[in-house]
Amino acid sequence: MADGPAASTATADVSPHADFEQVGAVADAVLYEGYLLYPYRRSSAKNRVRWQFGVLFPRDWVEADGPVTPTVSGSADSWYQRTECLARIRRPDATVRVRLRYLQMQRKQVQETGPEGGNRDVPSLRTADGTVHLTFDEAVPREAEVTLRLDERAHHGTTVPVGAPGGTDVEPLPGDAGRVVRVREELRGSVTVTAERLAPDLVRLQVRTTHTGLAPAPRTARDEALSGAFIATHTLIGGDGVEFVSLIDPPAALRDQVRACRNEFTFPVLGGVSSLGGDPPTARVLLSAPIILPDHPQVAPESPGDLHDAAEIDEILTLRTMLLTDEEKREARATDPRAAAILDRVDTMPPEVFARLHGAVRSLTPARPAAPPGEHPAAPPGERPAWWQEGGDDGPAPATDTVLVDGVPLGGGSRVRLSPRARGADAQDMFLAGRTAEVAAVFHDVDGSVHLAVTLDDDPASELHTWYGRFHYFRPDELEPLEPAREPAPSDTPAAEA
């Protein structure tokens, strides 16, 4: 996926539906992320876990072992999504339109017709014409729309039910060999859209999508529970007379309002093209996705078609598809029509099209002088360092930040004892329990969690690891400070000051 241009100008009379079309390819990449990567085959063990992003289950099932922990992306299962963003109002009659998009799972079962006319479930069936039919889980794309007028009643919001009906479809196979039965469970949910007026021309929008259906038994396996889940859930937000502010690169005057926005299990970015020349960044449409994207994302123009990866790695996936054996290709074609389309496209791809997948230079910038070892490259005078460098923003600084553990501030140079959690810890970390280490840095993840990078005291290569930046990472609750909490000095007390 490539970053899109932010300097184009959209005309004022473009409809929200046209705006949605501008991000259609990216939204489809989100919808089918991991659905049929290069393409999936039923027999490939590593390809059997397919539904990983934006999956909403019934609350009772997903919280059977405790409440879910909100993150800014939807790689963890949840029962809701919450999007908050800022919108500038350009007309008194402004409205907001929200389009919810998701997949509904469809169980595809192949059945063979027996000598006496009965049908029995089989994993696969080859008909007389040589076509192979496989039992496999498919997905059906679904959409729903909600409209909210941004008048004085907008803070009350509007809630609409969303979902998809259950049903069963039966497809007879040629020659009375059998049939394919597709079964869908009913999906039920709701979308609530509200608007909080922050200024005469500014509102904070909130879009909350909730699964409201009945929960399966608490210990139902995830693969079974998926039949009643919203999958790859994401929203497109547009409207008439509104423009959206970037939450990644907000104007200075709105940074506090942006920080107050809470996004849970989703990550909103500007879509389409900028309507004000990109300074400050705004757009007429917002994509709130369960994966982290940049503002104005675009599918690379060199990409010849969907590979269901939602990233710019088409060359690797195309090469991997070319290496499939004839038998693997037959199996993939029988898995899903989208898999067959991938194979057809790769098999007939002209050499000049394949050559374009090798890469493209999007921009050229002057190279900066190399920095001394251990230091970040200096920005030219008057230029702010890049956001990922120390001092590049007002956020965390790994080399100097500290985190409080048992009353002791831990940061670079602190001594600790490792105590990995009994549940959920990496298997290799368990072997380090009880060892002592030195903290190298404190890292704040984009989902709000904190990890401390450490080097082992008894590792003879610790200095080399520090030079390379290769550390072990632990959560604060997995570390025990070896230095006691500092007692307040007499000069720190009010009595001493007096």
Side-chain angles (χ1 to χ4, degrees):
M1 201 173 283
D3 295 356
S8 300
T9 300
T11 57
D13 58 352
V14 175
S15 73
H17 294 287
D19 285 328
F20 288 165
E21 294 305 318
Q22 293 181 29
V23 294
V26 176
D28 284 345
V30 172
L31 190 67
Y32 290 104
E33 162 67 25
Y35 178 64
L36 281 168
L37 190 61
Y38 69 77
Y40 282 170
R41 306 183 317 281
R42 191 187 63 182
S43 63
S44 180
K46 69 183 181 65
N47 292 335
R48 291 175 186 168
V49 181
R50 302 160 61 203
W51 322 105
Q52 296 299 301
F53 298 93
V55 182
L56 305 185
F57 290 99
R59 182 172 186 176
D60 289 347
W61 183 87
V62 79
E63 292 194 335
D65 294 324
V68 297
T69 302
T71 68
V72 296
S73 63
S75 57
D77 296 337
S78 179
W79 55 275
Y80 73 97
Q81 281 183 351
R82 173 185 177 135
T83 296
E84 287 191 351
C85 60
L86 300 182
R88 294 189 181 276
I89 301 175
R90 298 305 185 190
R91 295 205 314 260
D93 61 344
T95 60
V96 168
R97 182 174 290 106
V98 176
R99 178 178 294 178
L100 174 72
R101 307 175 82 235
Y102 59 93
L103 296 176
Q104 178 187 23
M105 178 177 283
Q106 179 171 259
R107 304 283 188 186
K108 173 188 172 186
Q109 178 63 57
V110 177
Q111 295 183 340
E112 182 180 29
T113 302
E116 299 179 358
N119 295 293
R120 65 183 184 90
D121 294 347
V122 292
S124 64
L125 180 64
R126 186 188 297 270
T127 54
D129 60 0
T131 303
V132 177
H133 301 269
L134 295 180
T135 294
F136 201 67
D137 290 337
E138 302 173 330
V140 181
R142 303 293 189 187
E143 291 185 352
E145 285 202 4
V146 185
T147 300
L148 177 68
R149 183 169 179 175
L150 298 179
D151 55 20
E152 66 277 0
R153 296 167 295 178
H155 68 279
H156 294 298
T158 182
T159 299
V160 299
V162 296
T168 301
D169 299 331
V170 179
E171 175 192 354
L173 295 179
D176 296 328
R179 62 183 188 176
V180 175
V181 180
R182 293 178 170 86
V183 179
R184 297 173 300 280
E185 289 190 15
E186 180 186 16
L187 298 184
R188 286 189 292 173
S190 66
V191 174
T192 300
V193 184
T194 57
E196 177 187 0
R197 183 81 61 159
L198 303 180
D201 65 341
L202 183 70
V203 296
R204 179 186 293 117
L205 291 173
Q206 182 188 114
V207 179
R208 185 179 178 92
T209 304
T210 305
H211 194 305
T212 61
L214 297 177
R219 297 302 170 187
T220 300
R222 185 178 186 273
D223 285 349
E224 296 180 29
L226 280 168
S227 59
F230 292 77
I231 299 171
T233 312
H234 62 282
T235 52
L236 300 176
I237 308 174
D240 296 310
V242 296
E243 290 170 339
F244 298 96
V245 175
S246 171
L247 276 70
I248 297 176
D249 186 20
L254 296 179
R255 285 179 182 171
D256 290 341
Q257 292 89 332
V258 165
R259 289 192 184 101
C261 291
R262 291 178 54 197
N263 289 282
E264 298 172 345
F265 303 104
T266 188
F267 191 80
V269 298
L270 301 183
V273 295
S274 173
S275 58
L276 289 181
D279 187 20
T282 62
R284 289 174 50 87
V285 65
L286 196 90
L287 169 61
S288 188
I291 58 178
I292 295 176
L293 297 169
D295 279 337
H296 306 291
Q298 292 185 351
V299 173
E302 293 82 10
S303 178
D306 291 334
L307 283 162
H308 306 299
D309 64 296
E312 197 175 12
I313 54 174
D314 290 35
E315 182 182 31
I316 297 173
L317 300 182
T318 300
L319 288 169
R320 181 64 185 88
T321 302
M322 291 178 173
L323 292 175
L324 294 176
T325 66
D326 290 342
E327 182 57 35
E328 288 173 336
K329 288 183 178 180
R330 280 192 291 270
E331 180 187 0
R333 289 183 186 279
T335 298
D336 190 279
R338 294 181 181 87
I342 293 174
L343 290 168
D344 290 342
R345 186 167 61 248
V346 170
D347 287 346
T348 60
M349 185 180 296
E352 60 272 17
V353 174
F354 179 75
R356 290 201 300 266
L357 301 182
H358 189 63
V361 176
R362 304 292 180 201
S363 63
L364 294 173
T365 56
R368 294 177 178 173
E375 296 184 14
H376 293 284
E383 183 177 333
R384 188 183 183 90
W387 64 268
W388 63 83
Q389 298 173 351
E390 294 279 356
D393 60 14
D394 299 326
T400 57
D401 280 353
T402 60
V403 59
L404 204 62
V405 177
D406 295 337
V408 179
L410 297 183
S414 299
R415 303 278 323 295
V416 295
R417 188 181 306 279
L418 307 181
S419 180
R421 292 171 295 170
R423 180 179 180 184
D426 186 279
Q428 297 184 33
D429 291 345
M430 301 300 292
F431 292 105
L432 304 179
R435 306 269 283 277
T436 59
E438 180 177 322
V439 176
V442 178
F443 292 96
H444 297 260
D445 296 340
V446 294
D447 62 0
S449 59
V450 178
H451 287 83
L452 287 84
V454 304
T455 56
L456 300 175
D457 288 343
D458 58 355
D459 186 346
S462 61
E463 291 186 2
L464 184 62
H465 293 326
T466 300
W467 188 78
Y468 276 116
R470 296 175 179 173
F471 305 108
H472 297 281
Y473 294 89
F474 291 88
R475 294 167 56 97
D477 60 357
E478 296 179 308
L479 301 177
E480 299 174 6
L482 293 180
E483 303 162 357
R486 185 177 69 89
E487 295 292 337
S491 59
D492 294 337
T493 64
E497 293 175 1

